[in-house]
Amino acid sequence: MKRLLPVAAVSLLTLAGCVNTSPYSGDVYSGNQAKASQNVTYGTVVAVRPVQIQADSRTGGLLGGGTGALIGGVLGSQIGGGSGKKIATAAGAIGGAVAGTAAEDRANRINAVELEIRTESGNDIVVVQKADRQFQPGQKVRLIGSGSNVSVAPY
């Protein structure tokens, strides 16, 4: 049983990285955006910068932290005896939880692009979206949506 625990933990951490990245894409619409009127503004890309989006964990970090704590506790319990074993188990669980949470956070990062755009009205705006399309400075684009719900598409 103890030999299967690391395999199960790695499998769970892998699943933790399977986040839904479509909300960050300029090419994917949510159900409530379909058949809804949206504003369209035209502009020109001024600058492009690669960034990352830290997606929210669907498990609230519990999967990575919990799995890490479990593995760390099991590994820590292999050390020493008596009260030393209890301390090693607790330290292993705490260290495992921290490492598992960090691993889940890294798995939930999405490559994105920050686009600085000068609209035809002369305003400069910045939109961050998933890096699933190439944009270049000087490129004409359409800004679809408004407020905090804008995506950029080629013109």
Side-chain angles (χ1 to χ4, degrees):
M1 178 65 178
K2 286 184 181 179
R3 291 182 183 187
L4 292 177
L5 189 57
V7 173
V10 169
S11 299
L12 288 172
L13 284 173
T14 301
L15 288 175
C18 297
V19 295
N20 179 7
T21 61
S22 62
Y24 306 112
S25 174
D27 292 334
V28 178
Y29 288 92
S30 66
N32 64 351
Q33 290 173 311
K35 293 186 72 172
S37 173
Q38 297 189 48
N39 295 329
V40 177
T41 306
Y42 298 94
T44 304
V45 176
V46 175
V48 179
R49 182 172 75 104
V51 296
Q52 290 187 328
I53 298 170
Q54 179 65 55
D56 295 330
S57 168
R58 287 188 271 172
T59 64
L62 292 176
L63 186 60
T67 303
L70 183 64
I71 293 171
V74 168
L75 293 176
S77 71
Q78 306 297 315
I79 298 171
S83 62
K85 185 173 189 164
K86 291 178 184 176
I87 291 170
T89 301
I94 291 168
V98 170
T101 300
E104 185 175 355
D105 283 347
R106 280 190 305 278
N108 287 337
R109 288 191 185 143
I110 299 160
N111 289 329
V113 62
E114 176 189 86
L115 301 166
E116 181 180 346
I117 299 166
R118 178 158 297 134
T119 65
E120 288 182 336
S121 63
N123 295 326
D124 286 346
I125 65 166
V126 172
V127 176
V128 176
Q129 67 185 33
K130 185 177 176 184
D132 53 1
R133 181 176 295 277
Q134 295 288 326
F135 291 96
Q136 303 296 325
Q139 181 179 356
K140 297 284 188 189
V141 293
R142 295 180 300 144
L143 298 149
I144 304 163
S146 63
S148 63
N149 190 12
V150 174
S151 63
V152 179
Y155 180 58

